[in-house]
Amino acid sequence: MHQPATPTLSLRNYGTSRGSHAHDHFQVLVGLEGVLEIEVEGRGGGIGAGQAQVVAPGDRHDFEARGGGSSCLVLDTTHVPWARCAERAPADPIQLHALARYLAHCTTQPRQFALALQHGPALLLEAWSPAPSSSMPHTRRRRIDWPALAAWARARWHEPLTVADLAEVACLSPSQLAQRCREEQGLSAMHWLRGLRLAHARELRLEGMGVAETARRTGYRSPSALTAALRRLDS
């Protein structure tokens, strides 16, 4: 299925299984009534009232609700920070459930729905995985998984990636990401990103891919721009 351009919130009622499927986006389900039996990549479970689960992009899953059926609040989103919630239970399930019930009500109220859609996804993420209190001392810095960050960027060379995009994936502010990149990689964040792009382009050229196709896949504005960048690298 195609990924949603913007987050969508909906109240859904489930019954018999419609078959296994997968999405190109995160699907967040918060149980409201009944029990939804769910299987994700062969792992079974259940979502009752007040329980929740995140289905990651590409994970095949199937739903079924027996008896009186099940209702859930469903968020479809491409927001990358939901990745850290896929294997983690909600930090505050009571707050999450109360918020989900309110947002589900808003889906039936046209005047409230626009506001709920604007703020609801961020509120759900905060209820699931709240940010640390600024009043508490930080004894450890958040670890940056540089290989994972590089793989994320490598899949998006067609987009105009920025330091802010990298920071969002790493769950840091842009200034924090920039400082950590200088400390841990010895480069500015943009130079690190450009180096990854050029390394990927060189890899494709060594595999025999043509200049024009390589430029297209790695986000260079033209084959000549790629050729010039490779020439500077080898000089």
Side-chain angles (χ1 to χ4, degrees):
M1 296 179 65
H2 295 296
Q3 61 186 24
T6 58
T8 62
L9 278 172
S10 57
L11 174 61
R12 300 185 192 178
N13 296 311
Y14 294 92
T16 57
S17 170
R18 297 182 179 179
S20 176
H21 59 285
H23 305 290
D24 294 332
H25 55 269
F26 294 98
Q27 189 165 77
V28 184
L29 300 101
V30 185
L32 299 174
E33 295 181 1
V35 177
L36 179 64
E37 297 180 8
I38 180 172
E39 182 179 281
V40 182
E41 291 291 321
R43 302 186 302 274
I47 303 175
Q51 298 177 312
Q53 182 158 343
V54 177
V55 180
D59 282 358
R60 295 203 65 81
H61 54 285
D62 195 5
F63 304 117
E64 184 171 23
R66 300 176 181 175
S70 169
S71 64
C72 294
L73 179 75
V74 179
L75 168 65
D76 291 301
T77 178
T78 59
H79 195 44
V80 174
W82 278 105
R84 68 176 184 262
C85 303
E87 301 296 334
R88 179 188 303 175
D92 192 338
I94 295 177
Q95 179 187 352
L96 184 67
H97 186 218
L99 175 61
R101 291 185 67 85
Y102 169 72
L103 293 174
H105 170 74
C106 289
T107 64
T108 65
Q109 308 296 316
R111 292 184 179 181
Q112 299 179 27
F113 184 56
L115 190 63
L117 186 58
Q118 180 180 357
H119 299 289
L123 291 172
L124 286 169
L125 182 62
E126 178 65 19
W128 196 298
S129 182
S133 170
S134 58
S135 63
M136 297 178 65
H138 296 284
T139 57
R140 296 181 60 188
R141 298 198 298 179
R142 182 186 298 276
R143 186 181 71 86
I144 298 177
D145 188 339
W146 292 104
L149 190 60
W152 179 86
R154 184 183 174 109
R156 291 165 176 80
W157 292 139
H158 60 286
E159 301 176 11
L161 299 180
T162 66
V163 175
D165 295 324
L166 296 174
E168 183 179 33
V169 177
C171 300
L172 296 169
S173 70
S175 60
Q176 288 174 322
L177 189 280
Q179 179 181 351
R180 293 283 295 279
C181 194
R182 291 189 188 95
E183 293 175 356
E184 299 177 22
Q185 299 296 318
L187 298 167
S188 72
M190 287 310 298
H191 276 89
W192 179 76
L193 192 61
R194 290 191 193 107
L196 290 177
R197 188 190 302 269
L198 188 56
H200 188 198
R202 189 175 191 179
E203 175 185 322
L204 293 177
R205 289 289 292 133
L206 290 173
E207 291 175 356
M209 183 175 291
V211 176
E213 178 63 13
T214 300
R216 187 189 69 81
R217 290 200 185 187
T218 53
Y220 282 87
R221 64 181 182 275
S222 67
S224 59
L226 171 59
T227 300
L230 289 171
R231 189 180 298 117
R232 286 193 299 272
L233 180 66
D234 294 330
S235 61

